[in-house]
Amino acid sequence: QMHAGLVSVSDGKSKPQPMKLILTSDSLVIQKEQLVIGNKNLEINSPDGRIRRVKVIRQRNTGLGLSIKGGSEHKLPILISRIFKDQAADLTSKLFVGDAILKVNQHSLLRCSHDEAVSELRNAGDEVLLTVRHYKAATPFLNKNDGDSSSITNPSETPTPTQVQGDEEWRSPSNPTSPTTPTILTSPTTTDNIISNNKHSADTNSISSNKIITNNLNKVNNSRNENINNDTSTIATDDDVQSNGPKVEKQWVDVVQVPLMMAYITRYIFGTDKLRPQAFEVRGINGISTGVVHCEDAAMLSQWIKHITNNIIGLTNLQMKLYNSSFPACEHVLYMGWVCEGVLNHNLPWQNWKPKFIALKGTDIYMFDTPPLNTVDWVEKASVWAVHQTMFRIIKESEYVDERQHCFLLQTAMQESRYLSVETRQELLRIENAWHRAVYNAVTRLGNKTFAVTANGRSSGLTLDWTTGFSLYDTETRDTHWRYKFSQLKGSSDDSKTKLKLHFQTEDKQIETKELECATNLQNLLFCMHAFLTAKVAAVDPQFLRKPPKTPT
């Protein structure tokens, strides 16, 4: 559902200027009212989201000179994923990576599969009229060098490597001087075929080795763009530019468009704990920011934050589904989203806050500086901790270090602590729920864990077992000294060094205290014990049992 309204926008320093804010399913657009010359507003050489008709003259040897991805089987439109330099599509100067092909001549592609779209394009004749509309949010993910993509061409005219690499690589229209985005994760079943004249090529079903990260691009926003089948009033053609003389008029013109896929919204002044009064900012994965958006009152602020947050969560869940289609079930992503980390600066009397992207995947928690875009990022660009060896604790308001709210602490067995904050209480509860599920998965998969301890001067082993509970055995004789269920543990205490006391309740309601000395890392034992107890509590929670662990699949 689209939302629109008038707001004021500033850079955080200068006076706010009146703007229009438009929220679509996958982006947040800021528009400014400007005096424009009517015909120039139709600039068909820039991808501005309007429906356009572009005539392409097929070349004898290289065909249309473009590649496509998507299709109804992927619940995606047919998207141009590559344009080859100096070939037919490139020579029009009116087609761009990220354009969705809505029609080929008079044949609609809105419900076509990928293979059907390939067939339509190949059999469209020498002069092909493409009706397209640009999806800017798709460009960062499609606009890349697919070095392993197969080509469908005449055997005698196989493209050389320079057609897809180096200086010949297609560059983004929004930034023509910089290279396209690095290789990224793509959908496991999406193909990437180059449209050419060769109708009988043996490579028709060639599959791209790369997989697409994409957002929900198939939702056409009918409120913002006219329906292609019923109204062509917004379609720009060459004839429009050559029609009547210039006409000056006021129009709302796009100033900023922020993709919401893995974006984050914040009310805080960047890097601080200070809330902006009745204002917020949205920052995209590509670094684009809306600037500071000022609302008239608290009610308007609350509504905008609610709608934008819901769209971001929806797109993030979609991204999790795409990731999980490439990961085994035991490594599925349970949660991912933005947090801010408080970094103590000893030279200043306040915290310095830095945005971090966290994910609960499998039995580990990952922390990134920027969201992962491919499988390599998950391995090379994250700090990773096992959840059963990490403590998660929601911070009480009385313990906050500054004015940042909704804070929690991650502490590892190696004494590494991360003090983190999120924007809302609801987001904090989402993380806590996902954490409990990750701990439950980790402990049930682990089964049991034994730690070397000393009891009554003898070398022993303390075992935590998911089924039986606590048990202590002698490492020399292998005799079991005692055994208790997890439910019998009534308390514990330690000296923060090596000594640990466990207080168990017997069947006759008596308390028995067992004293142990940990031979290795006491903190590791305490955190693992806490993980087993957390998993046991979660397992007997009726609500937890009614809702089996979910992963977006």
Side-chain angles (χ1 to χ4, degrees):
Q1 183 179 2
M2 187 182 77
H3 298 275
L6 297 179
V7 295
S8 297
V9 180
S10 74
D11 60 3
K13 299 177 182 178
S14 56
K15 182 179 178 180
Q17 299 296 316
M19 300 278 186
K20 180 186 285 187
L21 195 60
I22 299 176
L23 174 65
T24 70
S25 61
D26 58 11
S27 64
L28 188 63
V29 181
I30 292 180
Q31 292 184 333
K32 183 177 182 180
E33 194 172 33
Q34 292 181 348
L35 287 174
V36 298
I37 298 176
N39 285 340
K40 289 189 177 181
N41 188 47
L42 295 173
E43 291 182 292
I44 58 176
N45 288 335
S46 63
D48 60 359
R50 246 190 309 273
I51 295 172
R52 310 177 330 265
R53 284 178 178 158
V54 181
K55 183 183 291 185
V56 184
I57 307 299
R58 190 188 302 271
Q59 294 179 337
R60 180 178 298 275
N61 295 323
T62 57
L64 297 180
L66 57 83
S67 299
I68 62 170
K69 287 184 178 178
S72 59
E73 68 269 38
H74 311 298
K75 297 183 180 179
L76 293 172
I78 301 299
L79 294 162
I80 296 179
S81 60
R82 187 189 300 171
I83 294 178
F84 289 92
K85 190 175 180 64
D86 296 329
Q87 295 186 20
D90 183 34
L91 294 177
T92 68
S93 300
K94 299 169 187 174
L95 292 173
F96 302 91
V97 170
D99 280 349
I101 303 177
L102 308 179
K103 281 187 178 182
V104 176
N105 296 329
Q106 296 303 315
H107 299 281
S108 173
L109 299 189
L110 293 180
R111 293 180 177 82
C112 282
S113 68
H114 182 84
D115 290 342
E116 289 170 343
V118 170
S119 178
E120 285 286 353
L121 288 162
R122 283 186 175 145
N123 295 284
D126 292 334
E127 291 189 4
V128 183
L129 182 62
L130 299 181
T131 304
V132 298
R133 175 183 166 214
H134 191 70
Y135 283 92
K136 188 172 181 179
T139 307
F141 305 112
L142 296 177
N143 194 8
K144 63 187 180 65
N145 180 11
D146 287 334
D148 297 328
S149 297
S150 302
S151 302
I152 304 175
T153 59
N154 290 333
S156 61
E157 298 292 340
T158 302
T160 62
T162 58
Q163 287 179 284
V164 295
Q165 298 176 352
D167 292 336
E168 303 297 324
E169 176 183 341
W170 179 257
R171 297 171 186 268
S172 170
S174 60
N175 191 5
T177 61
S178 63
T180 51
T181 311
T183 302
I184 50 181
L185 184 69
T186 62
S187 175
T189 57
T190 303
T191 58
D192 185 1
N193 297 109
I194 299 169
I195 309 305
S196 72
N197 282 341
N198 188 357
K199 300 183 178 68
H200 306 289
S201 172
D203 297 327
T204 300
N205 295 319
S206 61
I207 306 297
S208 169
S209 64
N210 292 309
K211 302 177 179 179
I212 247 180
I213 292 180
T214 183
N215 50 21
N216 196 7
L217 297 174
N218 57 310
K219 294 184 179 178
V220 178
N221 198 323
N222 294 326
S223 300
R224 189 169 175 225
N225 297 283
E226 297 296 327
N227 188 299
I228 181 175
N229 295 316
N230 300 325
D231 192 344
T232 59
S233 61
T234 60
I235 297 176
T237 66
D238 292 330
D239 293 337
D240 294 325
V241 180
Q242 299 168 2
S243 60
N244 299 327
K247 178 183 178 182
V248 178
E249 56 187 14
K250 279 188 176 182
Q251 289 189 7
W252 289 100
V253 178
D254 289 3
V255 177
V256 176
Q257 184 174 15
V258 180
L260 295 181
M261 172 66 76
M262 293 193 287
Y264 74 94
I265 182 171
T266 180
R267 288 192 58 200
Y268 290 96
I269 298 174
F270 188 79
T272 77
D273 62 329
K274 306 303 179 186
L275 280 172
R276 299 185 188 274
Q278 293 183 188
F280 65 90
E281 177 186 6
V282 178
R283 291 174 174 253
I285 189 176
N286 54 3
I288 296 177
S289 168
T290 58
V292 182
V293 179
H294 302 263
C295 300
E296 287 185 359
D297 52 43
M300 178 185 290
L301 175 69
S302 176
Q303 286 299 307
W304 273 117
I305 290 178
K306 174 185 175 182
H307 294 314
I308 295 170
T309 300
N310 287 343
N311 284 19
I312 291 175
I313 291 174
L315 290 168
T316 301
N317 288 340
L318 175 62
Q319 188 59 59
M320 287 168 58
K321 290 181 182 180
L322 293 175
Y323 279 140
N324 288 340
S325 67
S326 300
F327 295 139
C330 62
E331 293 296 325
H332 276 186
V333 181
L334 297 172
Y335 171 88
M336 62 183 190
W338 285 97
V339 299
C340 266
E341 181 181 14
V343 181
L344 185 62
N345 190 333
H346 296 287
N347 298 322
L348 298 171
W350 59 77
Q351 300 280 120
N352 181 30
W353 292 89
K354 295 183 179 179
K356 297 286 185 177
F357 193 83
I358 65 170
L360 283 164
K361 175 177 174 288
T363 58
D364 298 315
I365 182 167
Y366 291 68
M367 183 176 290
F368 303 85
D369 290 329
T370 57
L373 294 181
N374 52 49
T375 52
V376 175
D377 287 352
W378 286 93
V379 177
E380 297 183 354
K381 295 186 178 181
S383 299
V384 186
W385 304 278
V387 294
H388 76 277
Q389 294 178 330
T390 306
M391 183 78 76
F392 171 91
R393 183 168 71 88
I394 294 179
I395 305 297
K396 299 177 182 178
E397 289 188 26
S398 59
E399 298 175 341
Y400 289 165
V401 298
D402 56 19
E403 296 180 29
R404 281 266 180 172
Q405 301 176 357
H406 314 303
C407 300
F408 64 98
L409 186 70
L410 289 180
Q411 185 176 2
T412 69
M414 303 306 294
Q415 302 294 324
E416 184 178 6
S417 296
R418 299 295 182 106
Y419 187 86
L420 305 167
S421 169
V422 291
E423 291 289 323
T424 65
R425 175 72 176 173
Q426 289 76 11
E427 190 67 14
L428 182 59
L429 294 178
R430 287 181 67 231
I431 295 175
E432 182 184 38
N433 182 62
W435 181 270
H436 288 164
R437 294 201 176 278
V439 170
Y440 177 86
N441 291 344
V443 169
T444 53
R445 193 172 302 161
L446 185 63
N448 61 75
K449 181 77 173 176
T450 299
F451 296 88
V453 298
T454 301
N456 300 321
R458 292 188 61 82
S459 177
S460 306
L462 176 66
T463 298
L464 309 179
D465 187 276
W466 172 250
T467 304
T468 60
F470 295 91
S471 62
L472 184 77
Y473 68 90
D474 189 291
T475 53
E476 292 183 7
T477 65
R478 312 302 292 182
D479 293 335
T480 300
H481 293 308
W482 48 259
R483 190 186 305 274
Y484 296 95
K485 297 177 181 179
F486 286 114
S487 59
Q488 292 180 269
L489 181 69
K490 297 304 176 183
S492 66
S493 58
D494 63 86
D495 64 354
S496 300
K497 296 178 182 178
T498 60
K499 294 182 179 180
L500 171 66
K501 292 182 180 181
L502 299 176
H503 310 289
F504 297 102
Q505 187 179 60
T506 63
E507 293 182 358
D508 57 359
K509 307 300 181 182
Q510 299 298 314
I511 298 296
E512 293 185 351
T513 299
K514 303 299 181 181
E515 297 187 16
L516 307 171
E517 187 165 352
C518 193
T520 55
N521 187 347
L522 175 62
Q523 201 81 336
N524 195 10
L525 167 58
L526 293 176
F527 284 6
C528 191
M529 186 171 70
H530 185 270
F532 271 79
L533 294 172
T534 298
K536 276 295 181 182
V537 171
V540 298
D541 180 357
Q543 185 175 4
F544 188 90
L545 291 176
R546 282 197 301 268
K547 297 179 179 179
K550 290 182 179 179
T551 55
T553 54

PDB file of all heavy atoms in Angstrom, residues 452-477:
ATOM      1  N   ALA A 452      35.811 -29.843  32.380  1.00  0.00           N
ATOM      2  CA  ALA A 452      36.772 -30.364  33.359  1.00  0.00           C
ATOM      3  C   ALA A 452      36.713 -29.525  34.625  1.00  0.00           C
ATOM      4  O   ALA A 452      36.872 -28.292  34.580  1.00  0.00           O
ATOM      5  CB  ALA A 452      38.176 -30.349  32.772  1.00  0.00           C
ATOM      6  N   VAL A 453      36.456 -30.176  35.761  1.00  0.00           N
ATOM      7  CA  VAL A 453      36.372 -29.485  37.051  1.00  0.00           C
ATOM      8  C   VAL A 453      37.106 -30.316  38.102  1.00  0.00           C
ATOM      9  O   VAL A 453      37.497 -31.471  37.866  1.00  0.00           O
ATOM     10  CB  VAL A 453      34.904 -29.269  37.488  1.00  0.00           C
ATOM     11  CG1 VAL A 453      34.172 -28.393  36.488  1.00  0.00           C
ATOM     12  CG2 VAL A 453      34.179 -30.605  37.661  1.00  0.00           C
ATOM     13  N   THR A 454      37.250 -29.709  39.266  1.00  0.00           N
ATOM     14  CA  THR A 454      37.789 -30.420  40.436  1.00  0.00           C
ATOM     15  C   THR A 454      36.739 -30.400  41.524  1.00  0.00           C
ATOM     16  O   THR A 454      36.199 -29.331  41.861  1.00  0.00           O
ATOM     17  CB  THR A 454      39.081 -29.746  40.943  1.00  0.00           C
ATOM     18  OG1 THR A 454      40.048 -29.749  39.896  1.00  0.00           O
ATOM     19  CG2 THR A 454      39.637 -30.488  42.143  1.00  0.00           C
ATOM     20  N   ALA A 455      36.439 -31.572  42.089  1.00  0.00           N
ATOM     21  CA  ALA A 455      35.452 -31.688  43.166  1.00  0.00           C
ATOM     22  C   ALA A 455      36.049 -32.507  44.307  1.00  0.00           C
ATOM     23  O   ALA A 455      36.519 -33.633  44.079  1.00  0.00           O
ATOM     24  CB  ALA A 455      34.177 -32.357  42.652  1.00  0.00           C
ATOM     25  N   ASN A 456      36.073 -31.914  45.497  1.00  0.00           N
ATOM     26  CA  ASN A 456      36.656 -32.580  46.678  1.00  0.00           C
ATOM     27  C   ASN A 456      38.085 -33.022  46.406  1.00  0.00           C
ATOM     28  O   ASN A 456      38.519 -34.100  46.836  1.00  0.00           O
ATOM     29  CB  ASN A 456      35.798 -33.779  47.095  1.00  0.00           C
ATOM     30  CG  ASN A 456      34.382 -33.384  47.464  1.00  0.00           C
ATOM     31  OD1 ASN A 456      34.174 -32.338  48.105  1.00  0.00           O
ATOM     32  ND2 ASN A 456      33.403 -34.200  47.071  1.00  0.00           N
ATOM     33  N   GLY A 457      38.814 -32.196  45.663  1.00  0.00           N
ATOM     34  CA  GLY A 457      40.223 -32.479  45.402  1.00  0.00           C
ATOM     35  C   GLY A 457      40.474 -33.485  44.314  1.00  0.00           C
ATOM     36  O   GLY A 457      41.642 -33.793  44.014  1.00  0.00           O
ATOM     37  N   ARG A 458      39.437 -34.023  43.677  1.00  0.00           N
ATOM     38  CA  ARG A 458      39.628 -35.028  42.639  1.00  0.00           C
ATOM     39  C   ARG A 458      39.234 -34.472  41.273  1.00  0.00           C
ATOM     40  O   ARG A 458      38.289 -33.679  41.137  1.00  0.00           O
ATOM     41  CB  ARG A 458      38.795 -36.278  42.938  1.00  0.00           C
ATOM     42  CG  ARG A 458      39.275 -37.049  44.177  1.00  0.00           C
ATOM     43  CD  ARG A 458      38.526 -38.372  44.304  1.00  0.00           C
ATOM     44  NE  ARG A 458      38.747 -39.262  43.159  1.00  0.00           N
ATOM     45  CZ  ARG A 458      39.798 -40.051  42.998  1.00  0.00           C
ATOM     46  NH1 ARG A 458      40.776 -40.058  43.901  1.00  0.00           N
ATOM     47  NH2 ARG A 458      39.894 -40.840  41.946  1.00  0.00           N
ATOM     48  N   SER A 459      39.957 -34.910  40.248  1.00  0.00           N
ATOM     49  CA  SER A 459      39.668 -34.499  38.885  1.00  0.00           C
ATOM     50  C   SER A 459      38.345 -35.117  38.447  1.00  0.00           C
ATOM     51  O   SER A 459      38.159 -36.339  38.563  1.00  0.00           O
ATOM     52  CB  SER A 459      40.791 -34.944  37.950  1.00  0.00           C
ATOM     53  OG  SER A 459      40.482 -34.620  36.611  1.00  0.00           O
ATOM     54  N   SER A 460      37.449 -34.249  37.969  1.00  0.00           N
ATOM     55  CA  SER A 460      36.102 -34.722  37.629  1.00  0.00           C
ATOM     56  C   SER A 460      35.631 -34.085  36.331  1.00  0.00           C
ATOM     57  O   SER A 460      36.277 -33.182  35.779  1.00  0.00           O
ATOM     58  CB  SER A 460      35.116 -34.391  38.767  1.00  0.00           C
ATOM     59  OG  SER A 460      35.560 -34.889  40.005  1.00  0.00           O
ATOM     60  N   GLY A 461      34.474 -34.590  35.891  1.00  0.00           N
ATOM     61  CA  GLY A 461      33.839 -34.026  34.703  1.00  0.00           C
ATOM     62  C   GLY A 461      32.400 -33.637  35.015  1.00  0.00           C
ATOM     63  O   GLY A 461      31.630 -34.478  35.509  1.00  0.00           O
ATOM     64  N   LEU A 462      32.039 -32.383  34.778  1.00  0.00           N
ATOM     65  CA  LEU A 462      30.658 -31.914  34.958  1.00  0.00           C
ATOM     66  C   LEU A 462      29.984 -31.933  33.589  1.00  0.00           C
ATOM     67  O   LEU A 462      30.408 -31.225  32.674  1.00  0.00           O
ATOM     68  CB  LEU A 462      30.624 -30.508  35.545  1.00  0.00           C
ATOM     69  CG  LEU A 462      29.232 -29.886  35.687  1.00  0.00           C
ATOM     70  CD1 LEU A 462      28.397 -30.641  36.716  1.00  0.00           C
ATOM     71  CD2 LEU A 462      29.324 -28.400  36.060  1.00  0.00           C
ATOM     72  N   THR A 463      28.919 -32.706  33.450  1.00  0.00           N
ATOM     73  CA  THR A 463      28.225 -32.843  32.172  1.00  0.00           C
ATOM     74  C   THR A 463      26.858 -32.169  32.243  1.00  0.00           C
ATOM     75  O   THR A 463      26.102 -32.391  33.197  1.00  0.00           O
ATOM     76  CB  THR A 463      28.040 -34.323  31.803  1.00  0.00           C
ATOM     77  OG1 THR A 463      29.322 -34.933  31.659  1.00  0.00           O
ATOM     78  CG2 THR A 463      27.272 -34.469  30.488  1.00  0.00           C
ATOM     79  N   LEU A 464      26.591 -31.351  31.245  1.00  0.00           N
ATOM     80  CA  LEU A 464      25.258 -30.787  31.044  1.00  0.00           C
ATOM     81  C   LEU A 464      24.624 -31.573  29.901  1.00  0.00           C
ATOM     82  O   LEU A 464      25.138 -31.564  28.785  1.00  0.00           O
ATOM     83  CB  LEU A 464      25.333 -29.306  30.684  1.00  0.00           C
ATOM     84  CG  LEU A 464      26.171 -28.404  31.593  1.00  0.00           C
ATOM     85  CD1 LEU A 464      26.154 -26.969  31.070  1.00  0.00           C
ATOM     86  CD2 LEU A 464      25.683 -28.457  33.027  1.00  0.00           C
ATOM     87  N   ASP A 465      23.514 -32.262  30.179  1.00  0.00           N
ATOM     88  CA  ASP A 465      22.869 -33.114  29.186  1.00  0.00           C
ATOM     89  C   ASP A 465      21.428 -32.656  28.989  1.00  0.00           C
ATOM     90  O   ASP A 465      20.686 -32.496  29.973  1.00  0.00           O
ATOM     91  CB  ASP A 465      22.896 -34.575  29.623  1.00  0.00           C
ATOM     92  CG  ASP A 465      22.397 -35.506  28.535  1.00  0.00           C
ATOM     93  OD1 ASP A 465      21.165 -35.684  28.437  1.00  0.00           O
ATOM     94  OD2 ASP A 465      23.227 -36.035  27.782  1.00  0.00           O
ATOM     95  N   TRP A 466      21.030 -32.443  27.733  1.00  0.00           N
ATOM     96  CA  TRP A 466      19.690 -31.931  27.436  1.00  0.00           C
ATOM     97  C   TRP A 466      18.593 -32.820  28.010  1.00  0.00           C
ATOM     98  O   TRP A 466      17.561 -32.335  28.469  1.00  0.00           O
ATOM     99  CB  TRP A 466      19.525 -31.817  25.917  1.00  0.00           C
ATOM    100  CG  TRP A 466      18.134 -31.478  25.460  1.00  0.00           C
ATOM    101  CD1 TRP A 466      17.264 -32.304  24.794  1.00  0.00           C
ATOM    102  CD2 TRP A 466      17.433 -30.245  25.658  1.00  0.00           C
ATOM    103  NE1 TRP A 466      16.081 -31.645  24.552  1.00  0.00           N
ATOM    104  CE2 TRP A 466      16.154 -30.374  25.082  1.00  0.00           C
ATOM    105  CE3 TRP A 466      17.769 -29.039  26.271  1.00  0.00           C
ATOM    106  CZ2 TRP A 466      15.225 -29.358  25.085  1.00  0.00           C
ATOM    107  CZ3 TRP A 466      16.842 -28.020  26.279  1.00  0.00           C
ATOM    108  CH2 TRP A 466      15.572 -28.174  25.692  1.00  0.00           C
ATOM    109  N   THR A 467      18.824 -34.131  28.063  1.00  0.00           N
ATOM    110  CA  THR A 467      17.798 -35.069  28.525  1.00  0.00           C
ATOM    111  C   THR A 467      17.847 -35.297  30.029  1.00  0.00           C
ATOM    112  O   THR A 467      16.812 -35.278  30.704  1.00  0.00           O
ATOM    113  CB  THR A 467      17.943 -36.416  27.797  1.00  0.00           C
ATOM    114  OG1 THR A 467      17.888 -36.205  26.391  1.00  0.00           O
ATOM    115  CG2 THR A 467      16.822 -37.382  28.214  1.00  0.00           C
ATOM    116  N   THR A 468      19.057 -35.508  30.582  1.00  0.00           N
ATOM    117  CA  THR A 468      19.162 -35.936  31.984  1.00  0.00           C
ATOM    118  C   THR A 468      19.473 -34.805  32.951  1.00  0.00           C
ATOM    119  O   THR A 468      19.205 -34.933  34.151  1.00  0.00           O
ATOM    120  CB  THR A 468      20.236 -37.023  32.114  1.00  0.00           C
ATOM    121  OG1 THR A 468      21.505 -36.499  31.677  1.00  0.00           O
ATOM    122  CG2 THR A 468      19.870 -38.243  31.264  1.00  0.00           C
ATOM    123  N   GLY A 469      20.085 -33.720  32.511  1.00  0.00           N
ATOM    124  CA  GLY A 469      20.407 -32.603  33.396  1.00  0.00           C
ATOM    125  C   GLY A 469      21.873 -32.560  33.772  1.00  0.00           C
ATOM    126  O   GLY A 469      22.751 -32.789  32.933  1.00  0.00           O
ATOM    127  N   PHE A 470      22.158 -32.263  35.082  1.00  0.00           N
ATOM    128  CA  PHE A 470      23.534 -32.165  35.572  1.00  0.00           C
ATOM    129  C   PHE A 470      24.000 -33.525  36.074  1.00  0.00           C
ATOM    130  O   PHE A 470      23.238 -34.269  36.705  1.00  0.00           O
ATOM    131  CB  PHE A 470      23.614 -31.178  36.754  1.00  0.00           C
ATOM    132  CG  PHE A 470      23.302 -29.751  36.410  1.00  0.00           C
ATOM    133  CD1 PHE A 470      22.007 -29.273  36.514  1.00  0.00           C
ATOM    134  CD2 PHE A 470      24.299 -28.877  36.011  1.00  0.00           C
ATOM    135  CE1 PHE A 470      21.706 -27.951  36.218  1.00  0.00           C
ATOM    136  CE2 PHE A 470      24.012 -27.561  35.708  1.00  0.00           C
ATOM    137  CZ  PHE A 470      22.714 -27.089  35.807  1.00  0.00           C
ATOM    138  N   SER A 471      25.275 -33.819  35.844  1.00  0.00           N
ATOM    139  CA  SER A 471      25.874 -35.010  36.454  1.00  0.00           C
ATOM    140  C   SER A 471      27.366 -34.773  36.636  1.00  0.00           C
ATOM    141  O   SER A 471      27.997 -34.051  35.857  1.00  0.00           O
ATOM    142  CB  SER A 471      25.642 -36.263  35.603  1.00  0.00           C
ATOM    143  OG  SER A 471      26.261 -36.128  34.328  1.00  0.00           O
ATOM    144  N   LEU A 472      27.926 -35.367  37.696  1.00  0.00           N
ATOM    145  CA  LEU A 472      29.356 -35.251  37.983  1.00  0.00           C
ATOM    146  C   LEU A 472      29.942 -36.650  38.074  1.00  0.00           C
ATOM    147  O   LEU A 472      29.408 -37.510  38.777  1.00  0.00           O
ATOM    148  CB  LEU A 472      29.587 -34.503  39.300  1.00  0.00           C
ATOM    149  CG  LEU A 472      31.045 -34.248  39.651  1.00  0.00           C
ATOM    150  CD1 LEU A 472      31.594 -33.087  38.814  1.00  0.00           C
ATOM    151  CD2 LEU A 472      31.228 -33.955  41.149  1.00  0.00           C
ATOM    152  N   TYR A 473      31.052 -36.891  37.364  1.00  0.00           N
ATOM    153  CA  TYR A 473      31.690 -38.202  37.408  1.00  0.00           C
ATOM    154  C   TYR A 473      33.184 -38.036  37.664  1.00  0.00           C
ATOM    155  O   TYR A 473      33.783 -36.989  37.387  1.00  0.00           O
ATOM    156  CB  TYR A 473      31.446 -38.979  36.115  1.00  0.00           C
ATOM    157  CG  TYR A 473      32.129 -38.394  34.888  1.00  0.00           C
ATOM    158  CD1 TYR A 473      33.417 -38.795  34.524  1.00  0.00           C
ATOM    159  CD2 TYR A 473      31.475 -37.447  34.104  1.00  0.00           C
ATOM    160  CE1 TYR A 473      34.038 -38.264  33.407  1.00  0.00           C
ATOM    161  CE2 TYR A 473      32.091 -36.914  32.989  1.00  0.00           C
ATOM    162  CZ  TYR A 473      33.372 -37.313  32.640  1.00  0.00           C
ATOM    163  OH  TYR A 473      33.986 -36.774  31.537  1.00  0.00           O
ATOM    164  N   ASP A 474      33.801 -39.068  38.198  1.00  0.00           N
ATOM    165  CA  ASP A 474      35.239 -39.096  38.469  1.00  0.00           C
ATOM    166  C   ASP A 474      35.966 -39.484  37.187  1.00  0.00           C
ATOM    167  O   ASP A 474      35.635 -40.490  36.555  1.00  0.00           O
ATOM    168  CB  ASP A 474      35.553 -40.106  39.581  1.00  0.00           C
ATOM    169  CG  ASP A 474      36.990 -40.010  40.059  1.00  0.00           C
ATOM    170  OD1 ASP A 474      37.887 -40.379  39.276  1.00  0.00           O
ATOM    171  OD2 ASP A 474      37.197 -39.579  41.206  1.00  0.00           O
ATOM    172  N   THR A 475      36.944 -38.674  36.784  1.00  0.00           N
ATOM    173  CA  THR A 475      37.608 -38.926  35.498  1.00  0.00           C
ATOM    174  C   THR A 475      38.476 -40.180  35.527  1.00  0.00           C
ATOM    175  O   THR A 475      38.767 -40.758  34.471  1.00  0.00           O
ATOM    176  CB  THR A 475      38.479 -37.717  35.100  1.00  0.00           C
ATOM    177  OG1 THR A 475      39.369 -37.401  36.170  1.00  0.00           O
ATOM    178  CG2 THR A 475      37.615 -36.504  34.786  1.00  0.00           C
ATOM    179  N   GLU A 476      38.900 -40.640  36.724  1.00  0.00           N
ATOM    180  CA  GLU A 476      39.740 -41.839  36.802  1.00  0.00           C
ATOM    181  C   GLU A 476      38.883 -43.095  36.866  1.00  0.00           C
ATOM    182  O   GLU A 476      39.084 -44.047  36.120  1.00  0.00           O
ATOM    183  CB  GLU A 476      40.666 -41.751  38.021  1.00  0.00           C
ATOM    184  CG  GLU A 476      41.722 -40.668  37.908  1.00  0.00           C
ATOM    185  CD  GLU A 476      42.666 -40.665  39.097  1.00  0.00           C
ATOM    186  OE1 GLU A 476      42.568 -41.594  39.947  1.00  0.00           O
ATOM    187  OE2 GLU A 476      43.489 -39.745  39.197  1.00  0.00           O
ATOM    188  N   THR A 477      37.928 -43.121  37.771  1.00  0.00           N
ATOM    189  CA  THR A 477      37.114 -44.326  37.963  1.00  0.00           C
ATOM    190  C   THR A 477      35.882 -44.351  37.071  1.00  0.00           C
ATOM    191  O   THR A 477      35.253 -45.414  36.916  1.00  0.00           O
ATOM    192  CB  THR A 477      36.643 -44.414  39.431  1.00  0.00           C
ATOM    193  OG1 THR A 477      35.761 -43.309  39.708  1.00  0.00           O
ATOM    194  CG2 THR A 477      37.841 -44.372  40.380  1.00  0.00           C
TER     195      THR A 477
END
